[in-house]
Amino acid sequence: LSVPKASGADVVLALLEGQGRAAAWAKGHRLPPYARTPLVIWSCWLADDLSRLPAHDRRAYVATMRHADLVTHLAESETGILLDSGFSAEQLFAVTYGAAKDFYTPDPAAAQDLDIVAVGQDRGRDYRTLVEAVRGTGLKVDVWCKPGNLDGLDLPANVTVHAPVDHVTYRDALRRAKGVAVPTVELAYPTGSSVTLEAASCGACVVTSSTRSMREYVTDGATGRLVDVGDVDGWRHTLAALLGDAGERARLGAAARARVEERNNTRFMWHELAGVLRDRGVVK
């Protein structure tokens, strides 16, 4: 637990659940400087984690986290799980998650020499469906992930695997992609949201799984394409159709970038959160 050096802070912002739970415990035990300082927990996996815990452990987890003044989460679809777990509506806020739009920018000069780019290493990735969708086709896929994400998969020759890279190389891959695929399983939190928004911010044509939470991030046919979870034929058809239609890819990419510029960006997210903290009286 990292204790702020200055006790005169207006608010303690804990990024992610682990840090948030520790800070909430300290606040609940009236330890300075947490005891009298408003605490905001910016969470990512909280709803999904809670949905996997036994009832007793879930109650204990929430009993600690309830000492926070505000807990944010990344999709409206998570709210019901958090309420059922014991949080109050006044304590929760579904923040508008956003990409760093001034870093993840389109590059008209980038050579679109990669057919399909897939990036990500969290527990929600469904590379099995993507691999089966492109098996036996001329679709070429470049995947950046951890080896564990591909355990048990028989990769065809048209799938090239790369180790994780730095953020600049990652951005370049998004810019070079004709299409960015984000295949996932259905989880409570919006798994795949970071890559989806960062690709959109680069003006890429994004295809992602149609999970409940990701439908809050992508509008099918308007800012990207959504394919049913685990639908191998749907993924194959959608990717092949987009690779054969440069105009449609450009239209979807431009619309996705516009949505990030308008709303799904980090500046909007933090200004929105600051307004909520004032409106709810967490800070003056």
Side-chain angles (χ1 to χ4, degrees):
L1 177 61
S2 177
V3 178
K5 294 180 180 179
S7 60
D10 293 324
V11 64
V12 172
L13 175 63
L15 293 175
L16 302 180
E17 294 83 339
Q19 293 81 354
R21 191 177 186 184
W25 180 90
K27 187 176 177 70
H29 284 77
R30 303 183 183 280
L31 299 180
Y34 295 96
R36 298 181 180 179
T37 307
L39 171 62
V40 177
I41 300 174
W42 193 96
S43 76
C44 178
W45 309 281
L46 181 58
D48 196 68
D49 287 345
L50 289 172
S51 70
R52 297 168 184 268
L53 289 176
H56 178 270
D57 293 341
R58 185 166 59 249
R59 287 193 296 270
Y61 194 126
V62 175
T64 300
M65 297 285 273
R66 278 183 61 98
H67 292 296
D69 297 270
L70 186 72
V71 178
T72 73
H73 49 103
L74 300 179
E76 294 281 359
S77 59
E78 299 173 285
T79 304
I81 295 173
L82 297 173
L83 290 173
D84 291 344
S85 297
F87 288 100
S88 65
E90 296 75 18
Q91 191 182 16
L92 299 173
F93 178 65
V95 70
T96 301
Y97 189 35
K101 68 181 181 69
D102 295 329
F103 177 79
Y104 293 102
T105 57
D107 180 6
Q112 288 197 323
D113 56 345
L114 300 176
D115 281 357
I116 303 163
V117 163
V119 185
Q121 56 195 29
D122 77 349
R123 65 190 181 216
R125 287 301 190 279
D126 180 19
Y127 289 123
R128 183 177 299 278
T129 293
L130 179 61
V131 166
E132 294 308 315
V134 302
R135 188 184 300 278
T137 73
L139 303 173
K140 296 180 180 179
V141 181
D142 284 84
V143 181
W144 280 263
C145 67
K146 291 181 178 179
N149 293 114
L150 304 174
D151 280 350
L153 298 187
D154 174 24
L155 300 178
N158 56 327
V159 175
T160 302
V161 179
H162 308 268
V165 292
D166 62 85
H167 63 295
V168 174
T169 306
Y170 160 58
R171 179 186 63 182
D172 290 345
L174 298 178
R175 289 170 167 176
R176 293 168 58 196
K178 294 186 177 83
V180 175
V182 191
T184 70
V185 297
E186 180 79 60
L187 295 179
Y189 76 97
T191 176
S193 55
S194 294
V195 172
T196 294
L197 291 179
E198 286 158 2
S201 190
C202 287
C205 175
V206 181
V207 183
T208 188
S209 298
S210 184
T211 62
R212 184 182 175 192
S213 56
M214 285 305 296
R215 290 195 292 271
E216 298 181 31
Y217 286 77
V218 176
T219 303
D220 187 39
T223 61
R225 291 301 312 274
L226 293 167
V227 182
D228 289 342
V229 173
D231 183 358
V232 172
D233 291 338
W235 273 94
R236 182 183 300 118
H237 172 77
T238 301
L239 292 174
L242 287 171
L243 285 183
D245 192 340
E248 179 68 354
R249 296 198 308 269
R251 182 186 71 83
L252 291 172
R257 170 66 188 182
R259 178 167 174 168
V260 169
E261 287 182 326
E262 177 185 356
R263 183 173 179 83
N264 286 111
N265 61 77
T266 52
R267 186 170 301 172
F268 184 100
M269 177 178 71
W270 293 118
H271 277 276
E272 177 187 59
L273 179 56
V276 168
L277 294 179
R278 290 191 295 267
D279 292 344
R280 298 194 185 184
V282 178
V283 296
K284 296 180 180 179

